[in-house]
Amino acid sequence: MREFHAICRPGAGQSPIEVWAPLAERVDVEWAVAGAGPSDPSTASRGAQREAMTAAGDGWWRWEPPADLLADGGALDYAFVLDGAEPALPDPRSAWQPHGVHGPSRTVDTTRFAWTDEGWAGPRDGHGVLGSVVYELHVGTFTPDGTLDSAVERLDHLVALGVDVVELMPLAAFPGRWGWGYDGVDLYAVHDGYGGPDALHRFVDACHARGLGVALDVVHNHLGASGNYLSRFGPYFTEGHHTPWGVAVNLDDAGAEHVRGFLVDSVLRWFRDFHVDALRLDAVHELKDSSDRHYLAELSDAVAVLAAELGRPLDLVAESDLNDTMMVAPTSEGGRGMTAQWDDDVHHALHVALTGEVQGYYADFGGGPERDEVGPLAVLAKALGHGFLHDGGHSSFRNRAWGVPVDREALDARRLLGYLQTHDQVGNRATGDRISAVAPPGRQAAGAALYLLAPTTPMVFMGEEWAASTPWQFFTSFEEDWLAAAVRDGRRAEFGSHGWVGDEVPDPQDPETRHRSVLRWDEVEAEPHARVLRWYTACTALRRVLLGDGPTRLADVQVRADDTAGWVVLEHRPAGRSPYAVVANLSTAEGEVPVEGAGAVLLAWDLERTSVGGSGVRLPADAVAVVALS
């Protein structure tokens, strides 16, 4: 793989600027000395110079900047002109887009940052993501300012909560100031609105100083519609495969080795130059690849080599709806080599059990005549105890068999991420309402305990821990009217088919939509939010005591449920550790839940009305307790 260009390295002078443009017969670079910040005018208004680049073979072009321009921290704004066509285009491997996704790129010397994390061994002293408490965070709505630097001011809250790894939603440069980040177009750049690359350096360093790991969400399966110039440079996409976003990223057609290298290089850069600890890979089932060696396996092996070089764990977490643990099997055994994968079945089952909603993809999770399970609590028991609900059986939502059975004896349960909420599951609701808007606090507490104290790796969505009153809605800030209209109309049509009136669906382009989604930190210490926060904090603390850092097995878990009585019990008897049970009463009345060998109450949502005796645990309605087992 080629060295990352446009990044100065100490002792090696300035790096050449290179670009892969096999479709061009001539490439010029337009450049100017950069000013002090992103508010500076464009290169054109400062008399940008233009010079021809030199063909370097295999579709690559190179230009050596004048020797003195990048000395002492200097930077260039630059863009490429292909075969004389205007306008000049940003670098596909741009490190920074301070003028927006359509403007020139800027060189960045990532080696100049003064790191203070020399002793950092990785999350939980080198244990990595597996078993960590992960916290999904959107920079643009985590604080009113919506920057990485302002997010640093709230890191102590995450430490107190018991978080191990902060997962940042995509930072790759995207059009406009505000957005979710899944329409990014510059996969090497840090969105300027969040503070640019230097701000990410500061954020990661601050996290490591507090013992927090950092995961970054990256999107390799598609690029956004505005500012995506890759197809002008080379065969980055292929008509051989299609995805929900159009033609697929080229992983197996002519020129694919360069495209795969482009993606792998970007991943290694986040780990090496920004000290990130893990990446979450978006919708990997849409990475269409018929090669003998799948792209994900190639990526996994490349990351393993870098991890050995750096001497700390580097993790890859896949979002996959395939329900196949082949995703987390070693590449040496024919797997994709991912460290872990998201498990939407756990979310769906929890959501249906707590809310009763059964529309759309929730339909299967309500049980019914198509399943042996009599109701949603029995479905929840299946998902929690066996990893997936869809493990080879029929999915009515997909109208086909789906998934693969899980080997409960062999699978380290930590390789599955369980959660009650995510950005998708909140933000893709018509009004972005959270679980706390549709379920009482005791029910949310039960759902939280079931996934936070399960042997899988838990993930909390920002604000969930205090039952934030703010919704989290879908928002954009596109400059193109056609794109804004297409997104707005598409959202309204999608939810209109589910019975929502168009005016009820927030306008993604309205600045108030983003504003409504910003967390209100004044709620944290106010009731009833403070009680929910105390519960989440107690659950994460108890998790450390009960589960420790070692591997866990689904085979050590037994989950029982009674839909008629309205209770569910997760019993975990890990080898070499104390057994325990999470006991939830989701009925409308107080009752006793049968738990054989129930002992001391370790944690309870309503301690005064929780008791152990006879043949089980007595709980009020919509309550949960954790008890020791004999």
Side-chain angles (χ1 to χ4, degrees):
M1 295 177 193
R2 287 185 168 259
E3 186 72 16
F4 305 116
H5 69 59
I7 299 173
C8 300
R9 302 212 175 274
Q14 70 272 8
S15 299
I17 287 180
E18 298 178 320
V19 63
W20 184 61
L23 302 182
E25 295 184 1
R26 174 187 172 91
V27 180
D28 296 324
V29 60
E30 185 177 273
W31 63 274
V33 176
S39 60
D40 298 321
S42 69
T43 55
S45 65
R46 287 182 279 128
Q49 302 183 54
R50 183 176 294 189
E51 296 185 35
M53 301 185 74
T54 302
D58 208 14
W60 286 87
W61 301 80
R62 173 178 293 189
W63 175 70
E64 295 278 357
D68 60 333
L69 291 182
L70 297 179
D72 299 323
L76 298 181
D77 281 352
Y78 67 101
F80 300 121
V81 180
L82 306 179
D83 292 326
E86 300 289 351
L89 304 177
D91 186 354
R93 297 191 181 208
S94 170
W96 189 12
Q97 289 295 120
H99 308 286
V101 298
H102 304 290
S105 305
R106 180 168 294 179
T107 59
V108 174
D109 182 357
T110 59
T111 66
R112 294 178 65 86
F113 183 75
W115 290 97
T116 65
D117 66 349
E118 294 83 1
W120 178 250
R124 294 182 302 125
D125 294 326
H127 290 284
V129 164
L130 291 183
S132 291
V133 176
V134 182
Y135 188 93
E136 188 184 25
L137 181 160
H138 177 262
V139 173
T141 51
F142 190 58
T143 65
D145 288 345
T147 65
L148 287 158
D149 285 329
S150 63
V152 169
E153 299 171 7
R154 296 295 180 180
L155 291 180
D156 291 339
H157 165 83
L158 303 185
V159 174
L161 173 61
V163 170
D164 299 303
V165 176
V166 182
E167 180 179 304
L168 300 174
M169 286 176 60
L171 302 182
F174 58 83
R177 173 65 178 92
W178 303 115
W180 281 18
Y182 293 95
D183 50 2
V185 291
D186 294 291
L187 303 190
Y188 285 62
V190 179
H191 184 54
D192 189 63
Y194 293 159
D198 283 346
L200 180 58
H201 284 135
R202 293 190 292 269
F203 180 86
V204 174
D205 202 46
C207 283
H208 288 176
R210 292 166 171 81
L212 295 169
V214 178
L216 177 60
D217 195 339
V218 297
V219 184
H220 289 178
N221 50 52
H222 75 289
L223 276 77
S226 176
N228 176 10
Y229 299 107
L230 288 185
S231 60
R232 301 272 294 276
F233 287 88
Y236 281 89
F237 303 93
T238 173
E239 291 282 357
H241 304 290
H242 286 77
T243 73
W245 307 283
V247 294
V249 173
N250 177 18
L251 299 175
D252 58 7
D253 209 341
E257 67 276 12
H258 292 280
V259 180
R260 293 163 76 110
F262 168 78
L263 297 174
V264 172
D265 282 359
S266 71
V267 164
L268 300 183
R269 177 172 178 269
W270 297 121
F271 286 133
R272 186 189 61 204
D273 294 347
F274 291 94
H275 295 201
V276 165
D277 301 288
L279 295 186
R280 181 262 191 188
L281 306 176
D282 183 66
V284 298
H285 47 276
E286 297 297 347
L287 293 170
K288 309 295 186 181
D289 186 6
S290 59
S291 306
D292 291 339
R293 187 183 185 212
H294 195 278
Y295 161 70
L296 290 177
E298 177 183 341
L299 176 63
S300 176
D301 288 344
V303 169
V305 170
L306 182 61
E309 175 187 326
L310 298 179
R312 59 185 176 90
L314 304 176
D315 293 313
L316 297 173
V317 180
E319 181 200 21
S320 170
D321 80 344
L322 301 178
N323 285 23
D324 189 343
T325 56
M326 167 273 297
M327 192 63 63
V328 296
T331 59
S332 60
E333 298 176 9
R336 300 286 159 82
M338 301 292 100
T339 305
Q341 66 184 84
W342 280 30
D343 188 347
D344 274 354
D345 280 19
V346 169
H347 164 269
H348 297 348
L350 281 170
H351 188 87
V352 173
L354 299 179
T355 70
E357 295 181 2
V358 291
Q359 72 275 19
Y361 50 66
Y362 290 136
D364 284 337
F365 294 83
E370 289 190 358
R371 301 191 171 278
D372 294 336
E373 296 88 0
V374 295
L377 296 186
V379 169
L380 175 59
K382 167 74 180 294
L384 290 173
H386 292 262
F388 304 125
L389 171 67
H390 295 127
D391 55 3
H394 182 74
S395 165
S396 62
F397 177 70
R398 298 178 176 87
N399 196 29
R400 56 176 291 189
W402 199 258
V404 177
V406 175
D407 186 338
R408 298 177 70 240
E409 293 284 346
L411 179 71
D412 184 344
R414 301 176 303 166
R415 295 195 180 276
L416 301 178
L417 263 69
Y419 32 83
L420 180 57
Q421 298 180 98
T422 71
H423 74 273
D424 271 330
Q425 308 304 341
V426 177
N428 283 327
R429 294 171 66 83
T431 59
D433 49 329
R434 296 170 176 267
I435 191 71
S436 51
V438 293
R443 286 204 158 215
Q444 179 178 342
L450 285 167
Y451 86 85
L452 286 171
L453 293 168
T456 47
T457 295
M459 185 175 74
V460 180
F461 179 60
M462 66 174 197
E464 174 193 334
E465 72 274 21
W466 76 76
S469 68
T470 50
W472 200 73
Q473 300 175 336
F474 182 73
F475 50 87
T476 56
S477 53
F478 296 126
E479 297 177 356
E480 298 91 342
D481 291 341
W482 66 269
L483 185 54
V487 172
R488 181 186 301 115
D489 294 345
R491 295 282 291 186
R492 289 176 174 172
E494 175 187 356
F495 291 111
S497 65
H498 296 296
W500 290 86
V501 178
D503 291 342
E504 295 177 315
V505 180
D507 179 358
Q509 285 285 115
D510 185 345
E512 280 300 307
T513 304
R514 178 263 168 183
H515 181 71
R516 282 191 297 270
S517 302
V518 177
L519 290 175
R520 288 185 50 192
W521 287 92
D522 60 321
E523 295 180 337
V524 173
E525 297 179 356
E527 297 296 351
H529 306 286
R531 183 185 183 192
V532 176
L533 178 58
R534 290 193 296 272
W535 178 255
Y536 273 75
T537 303
C539 283
T540 61
L542 185 57
R543 178 184 176 86
R544 284 171 170 74
V545 173
L546 296 176
L547 279 85
D549 292 317
T552 59
R553 300 187 312 157
L554 283 175
D556 294 331
V557 174
Q558 179 185 8
V559 188
R560 299 179 291 110
D562 187 323
D563 277 282
T564 302
W567 55 258
V568 60
V569 177
L570 183 152
E571 297 182 2
H572 187 200
R573 299 180 181 274
R577 303 193 70 86
S578 301
Y580 63 93
V582 181
V583 187
N585 177 16
L586 302 178
S587 73
T588 58
E590 180 177 330
E592 184 173 88
V593 181
V595 182
E596 185 176 347
V601 176
L602 305 175
L603 189 63
W605 174 251
D606 189 339
L607 185 59
E608 291 184 359
R609 299 169 63 194
T610 299
S611 60
V612 177
S615 58
V617 180
R618 191 163 192 83
L619 291 166
D622 286 334
V624 60
V626 185
V627 300
L629 295 176
S630 59

